[in-house]
């Protein structure tokens, strides 16, 4: 059972290992379908393998459960699916279900674990394969694997690395279940005191408020790639404004001398070598922005409706003045950590 790309590498491993996969269950297409339907990697993978596909609106409906029961599954493998399985659904398989989750549970339970690992400033990320219960991501852990989060890594880059990490973890969990007597305690019970939540982001969560700390804003940028993206309106004194999506950013904890007498959101062009920093492209020639705490540096951006480009290229076509600044939200925004 899966819909998004995170499930595909592990599903392919199950297929290559010779497990019988009689059915793939995936979320149905949104109806009416938009002009450009959203990608459904698991659906596409199942078609390529010639595996039967089932697309129930609710996996827990009596009709869906009856349909699953006709396949007499030994085990349900769930990853990046988007629905919580009920007790009745889990009970159709003697071994129940396993879920490959993109975090080090019990940290970051929920729909966006990769994004929240970056937003929270975690130094490492990982995957956990749990023996499923009807409660969200709450079952005992059968397998755990972890990796360090790289500097400047975004959710777009981290998620495929974690999906690949989950391949061996899934195979190991299935080997444990294959030898299980059905009665003995299996796996490691999650510590409830360490639970954190990882709810899905909304589009508005990508809005930048430069009254917040530069470090937080950089983490938000990394977490919001590729969606929803982080954005703000850059304004010039004459009334010209452009909405920018920030694609790559860094920070320093101190406010630069050039920005100390300015308000949060003020933007200037800067060569990072002036600060004694040996930053690689695209952080050599940056847009430096005054934040509530520290300085926020934009290395790569995308003007609304235009292609992505380095900040240096953008500023050649749109020179900054001493009064160029980003518009601040009318009501100050709270960090997402406070609103979760």
């Amino acid at each position: 059972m899966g819909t998004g790309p995170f499930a595909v590498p592990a599903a392919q491993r199950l297929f290559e290992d010779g497990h019988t996969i009689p059915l793939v269950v995936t979320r149905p297409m949104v109806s009416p379908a938009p002009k450009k339907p959203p990608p459904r990697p698991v659906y596409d993978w199942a078609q390529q393998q010639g595996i039967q596909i089932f697309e129930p609106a609710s996996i827990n409906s009596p009709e869906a459960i009856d349909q699953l029961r006709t396949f007499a599954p030994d085990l349900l493998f769930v990853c990046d699916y988007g629905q919580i399985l009920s007790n009745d659904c889990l009970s159709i398989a003697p071994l129940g279900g396993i879920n490959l989750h993109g975090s080090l549970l019990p940290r970051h339970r929920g729909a966006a674990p990769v994004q929240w690992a970056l937003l929270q400033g975690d130094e490492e990320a990982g995957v956990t394969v749990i023996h499923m219960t009807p409660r969200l991501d709450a079952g005992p852990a059968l397998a755990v694997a972890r990796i360090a989060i790289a500097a400047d890594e975004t959710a777009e880059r981290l998620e495929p690395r974690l999906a690949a990490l989950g391949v061996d973890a899934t195979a190991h969990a299935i080997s444990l279940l294959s030898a299980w007597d059905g009665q003995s305690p299996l796996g490691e019970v999650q510590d409830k005191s360490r639970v954190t939540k990882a709810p899905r982001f909304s589009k508005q969560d990508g809005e930048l408020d430069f009254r917040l700390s530069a470090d937080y804003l950089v983490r938000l940028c990394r977490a919001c790639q590729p969606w929803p993206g982080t954005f703000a309106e850059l304004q010039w004194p004459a009334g010209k404004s452009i909405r920018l999506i920030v694609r790559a950013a860094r920070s320093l904890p101190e406010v630069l001398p050039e920005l100390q007498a300015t308000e949060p959101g003020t933007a200037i062009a800067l060569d990072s070598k002036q600060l004694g920093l040996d930053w690689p492209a695209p952080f050599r020639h940056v847009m430096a922005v005054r934040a509530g705490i520290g300085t926020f540096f934009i290395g790569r951006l995308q003007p609304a409706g235009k292609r992505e480009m380095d900040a240096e290229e953008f500023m050649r076509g749109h020179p900054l003045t001493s009064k160029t600044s980003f518009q601040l939200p009318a009501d100050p925004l709270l960090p997402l950590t406070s609103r979760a």
Side-chain angles (χ1 to χ4, degrees), residues 69-339:
R69 192 175 282 116
T70 65
F71 291 88
D74 299 303
L75 176 69
L76 307 178
F77 170 63
V78 184
C79 178
D80 202 359
Y81 176 47
Q83 295 190 35
I84 300 174
L85 277 60
S86 67
N87 267 329
D88 288 343
C89 186
L90 289 170
S91 68
I92 69 171
L95 294 175
I98 58 171
N99 174 231
L100 171 61
H101 185 74
S103 82
L104 298 170
L105 292 172
R107 189 164 176 78
H108 306 315
R109 287 184 184 176
V114 178
Q115 291 80 0
W116 280 87
L118 294 169
L119 185 63
Q120 297 277 7
D122 294 1
E123 294 183 355
E124 63 177 6
V127 297
T128 306
V129 182
I130 61 171
H131 203 189
M132 294 175 66
T133 73
R135 292 181 58 203
L136 179 64
D137 304 331
L142 302 179
V144 179
R146 58 188 73 222
I147 54 176
I149 297 176
D152 297 322
E153 192 160 27
T154 63
E156 186 174 27
R157 295 176 184 173
L158 179 57
E159 187 165 310
R161 291 211 296 139
L162 292 175
L165 190 69
V167 171
D168 285 344
T170 299
H172 177 66
I174 290 178
S175 71
L176 292 178
L177 285 169
S178 298
W180 186 41
D181 61 11
Q183 301 295 327
S184 304
L186 189 66
E188 182 178 346
V189 176
Q190 295 184 43
D191 182 350
K192 293 181 181 179
S193 68
R194 296 178 52 240
V195 170
T196 64
K197 301 296 182 66
R200 195 181 305 279
F201 285 6
S202 69
K203 187 172 183 179
Q204 200 58 36
D205 286 334
E207 185 174 9
L208 294 171
D209 185 341
F210 289 99
R211 288 167 291 207
L212 297 170
S213 77
D215 176 68
Y216 168 78
L217 294 174
V218 168
R219 288 187 274 116
L220 182 64
C221 288
R222 293 166 60 197
C224 287
Q225 303 299 329
W227 192 90
T230 43
F231 59 90
E233 198 86 14
L234 185 63
Q235 298 179 317
W236 283 260
K240 170 185 171 183
S241 67
I242 300 177
R243 172 168 285 207
L244 300 181
I245 302 171
V246 179
R247 295 298 187 189
R250 286 187 174 183
S251 67
L252 288 177
E254 64 272 8
V255 176
L256 299 183
E258 299 91 332
L259 291 168
Q260 284 182 352
T262 66
E263 295 296 317
T266 303
I268 61 173
L270 188 74
D271 185 334
S272 61
K273 278 197 168 182
Q274 295 174 229
L275 306 175
L277 299 171
D278 189 21
W279 282 351
F283 295 105
R284 283 287 308 278
H285 300 279
V286 293
M287 186 185 301
V289 187
R290 166 74 187 266
I293 300 174
T295 306
F296 182 83
F297 300 93
I298 302 174
R300 196 158 177 82
L301 52 81
Q302 183 176 0
K306 305 292 184 180
R307 63 178 175 83
E308 189 175 325
M309 64 187 72
D310 287 353
E312 179 183 15
E313 179 183 356
F314 173 80
M315 292 185 294
R316 283 201 301 267
H318 303 84
L320 305 185
T321 72
S322 60
K323 295 189 182 287
T324 305
S325 64
F326 284 96
Q327 181 179 346
L328 302 177
D331 296 318
L333 300 180
L334 294 173
L336 288 182
T337 49
S338 298
R339 291 192 275 144

